[in-house]
Amino acid sequence: MNSSFKFIFSFGFSVFLAQISIAQHLASSYHPKNKIEKQVLAKVNDLPEIKEWLKTAKYSKPDILMNDPDSKSKYYSFQVGLNNLDMFRTNYWLYVDPKNLEIYYWDQLNIMDNQMITLEQWRHWRTKPGFQKQHIYKNNKLVTIKDK
């Protein structure tokens, strides 16, 4: 590789990384820029699940990474996880619709839809034995893949 290509590639990659990080904020140190951001962040911070997470994982530096809406998503997204060992590790994702402040959970193990479910659905389904396994929802029931 010639040196000008290396420079252009590394410069372009640096710009790409800078663009990714512009829209992310650690909730623990972020000051909302407007009323909507303040409402969205307050709504997430008021969840009993978040309060419990911050309390029980306190020795592992729990935090929330807030992602602004962009051209690909109208939602604010929140990565709930641990911010230690010089990296952020996501435990789960929440999404907030800024128009109505409705909260959704990204159900990554739902292999049919890989979809967001409502906060109420998450609270119901996460207590079921098959929720932590790959699953689908069929006739308002959680069906694990091995049961299919």
Side-chain angles (χ1 to χ4, degrees):
M1 252 193 290
N2 67 33
S3 60
S4 61
F5 177 77
K6 287 180 185 176
F7 173 77
I8 292 169
F9 177 77
S10 65
F11 177 76
F13 189 69
S14 298
V15 170
F16 170 73
L17 289 177
Q19 288 175 342
I20 288 174
S21 63
I22 288 173
Q24 294 186 322
H25 320 283
L26 279 175
S28 61
S29 59
Y30 182 63
H31 301 290
K33 296 180 287 203
N34 56 51
K35 183 180 174 183
I36 294 294
E37 282 189 358
K38 188 174 183 178
Q39 290 174 326
V40 166
L41 191 55
K43 185 93 171 171
V44 169
N45 282 328
D46 285 344
L47 291 173
E49 293 87 353
I50 296 298
K51 289 178 181 180
E52 183 68 19
W53 172 254
L54 294 174
K55 187 170 106 180
T56 60
K58 68 182 174 185
Y59 297 110
S60 298
K61 297 183 181 177
D63 212 332
I64 303 165
L65 194 58
M66 179 179 168
N67 304 286
D68 295 340
D70 59 23
S71 61
K72 296 177 186 166
S73 175
K74 68 177 184 175
Y75 301 100
Y76 282 91
S77 63
F78 293 85
Q79 297 167 246
V80 180
L82 301 174
N83 189 26
N84 61 7
L85 305 174
D86 294 329
M87 67 178 152
F88 191 89
R89 294 179 309 233
T90 303
N91 191 24
Y92 61 90
W93 290 74
L94 296 174
Y95 291 84
V96 181
D97 185 334
K99 292 187 183 203
N100 58 18
L101 299 180
E102 190 76 29
I103 299 176
Y104 300 92
Y105 169 85
W106 181 29
D107 186 358
Q108 298 177 50
L109 293 174
N110 177 356
I111 64 158
M112 293 296 286
D113 299 318
N114 199 11
Q115 66 181 358
M116 293 188 298
I117 58 176
T118 66
L119 183 61
E120 294 76 22
Q121 289 171 319
W122 177 51
R123 287 174 172 163
H124 172 77
W125 290 117
R126 71 179 184 203
T127 62
K128 307 303 178 207
F131 189 75
Q132 294 300 325
K133 299 176 183 172
Q134 287 188 332
H135 59 267
I136 61 171
Y137 300 103
K138 191 173 186 178
N139 299 326
N140 206 21
K141 292 183 181 177
L142 181 92
V143 180
T144 59
I145 296 311
K146 67 176 184 156
D147 297 337
K148 191 173 134 182

